[in-house]
Amino acid sequence: MPATVLVLVETINDCLWILENQGFHLILAPTPSERADAIKAHAGQINAVLTRGPLGLTAEEIAALPHLEIICVIGAGYEQVDLQAASNRGIAVSNGAGVNASSVADHAMALLLSLVRDIPRADAAVRRGEWPKVMRPSLAGKRLGILGLGAVGLAIAKRCANGFDMSVSYHNRQIRSDVPYSFCPTPTELARHSDFLVVATPGGIGTRQLIDKAVLQALGPEGFLVNIARASVVNTADLLQALEQRSIAGAGLDVFDDEPRVPDALKTLNNVVLTPHVAGLSPEATQATVELVGKNLVAHFSGQPLLTPIALPAPN
């Protein structure tokens, strides 16, 4: 009997044929109401759940699925998956770290270029029949700071160092000996040495509000912030204040605290560029993501090690 996968992710439908071709039976539940109904109606047959970090899977949901064996999370972050509950049940968890790194890095660069060169306002002006000549900074030769030098951070660093001749610094949980970039011991120190600060670290308790008032002050009135990671890494109230008071030059944001709701105060500012959490979305990234999920599912149900396992806490 084929394994049944509950799919909570709303952005990968075009590539779900990959899993179906591997023999998996899929139950699609991309909305909260469909999710609750699917768990209630199909609890006895669900063997795997496909989710993403912000959607997660709660302890209560895990408890309601007696035959659940594996949780596959697309993307690097898994902050809303109850790892303790999974561990207690012996349920495996995998993620997709690095699979969409190129797409996210491209989007980070798009946000940075749009923000620093003020492309949205220039475009709007031309459409109104105006022809403003506004002086904006260049990216070439500037100082880039990256918070989180994983696969996405590395992809951004390479684009900036090789394509724009930027000097690159980073803050990470640990120093990397395999990169030519400068390590900064704290986020504040990183901001102090950056013209552009890009947030590329996973979400979760360990990274919550690493970017606060002190970091933004260190970034300064000519500094720009880009966040393509998780909104939880940035203190939104501090960021709003910094943007309103022009104590930083601007921000490019793809992630928000209560998606899809975006604070009205952000929408009214002319020194921000906003996108609807789409950095990791591209046909290439989506296919690679689903292919990795399929490989992890096949490995698990054939008794083989997962390709990208998440380390779980000890059962209690």
Side-chain angles (χ1 to χ4, degrees), residues 276-302:
H277 202 155
V278 293
L281 299 185
S282 70
E284 299 87 352
T286 299
Q287 180 163 335
T289 293
V290 180
E291 286 175 348
L292 179 58
V293 168
K295 290 175 182 178
N296 275 311
L297 289 172
V298 169
H300 174 79
F301 290 109
S302 62

Side-chain angles (χ1 to χ4, degrees), residues 104-157:
V104 177
D106 288 350
H107 197 82
M109 296 306 302
L111 279 175
L112 185 60
L113 284 161
S114 296
L115 177 66
V116 175
R117 298 297 298 171
D118 205 11
I119 300 301
R121 282 208 292 171
D123 175 84
V126 172
R127 291 172 189 272
R128 291 192 301 265
E130 301 168 6
W131 203 253
K133 296 294 184 181
V134 180
M135 194 76 69
R136 298 291 296 183
S138 171
L139 273 69
K142 294 296 196 304
R143 302 172 302 166
L144 176 75
I146 302 178
L147 184 67
L149 202 65
V152 170
L154 278 174
I156 295 168

Side-chain angles (χ1 to χ4, degrees), residues 10 13 33 53-54 56 61 68 81 96 100 102 110 114 169 178 199 211-212 255 258 271 276 279 286 294:
E10 72 280 23
N13 286 2
S33 61
E61 290 172 325
L68 181 62
V81 176
N100 63 356
S102 289
S114 296
S169 301
D178 58 340
V199 181
I211 304 297
D212 56 12
V255 289
D258 188 23
N271 57 343
T286 299

Side-chain angles (χ1 to χ4, degrees), residues 7-68:
V7 180
L8 305 180
V9 181
E10 72 280 23
T11 56
I12 58 173
N13 286 2
D14 289 347
C15 291
L16 288 178
W17 57 268
I18 295 170
L19 302 182
E20 291 173 329
N21 285 354
Q22 291 173 313
F24 295 107
H25 172 64
L26 307 182
I27 299 173
L28 308 187
T31 70
S33 61
E34 290 172 333
R35 173 174 175 161
D37 291 345
I39 290 175
K40 184 177 181 180
H42 304 287
Q45 68 183 96
I46 293 171
N47 311 113
V49 171
L50 174 51
T51 186
R52 59 185 179 88
L55 295 175
L57 197 67
T58 67
E60 292 75 16
E61 290 172 325
I62 291 171
L65 300 172
H67 301 294
L68 181 62

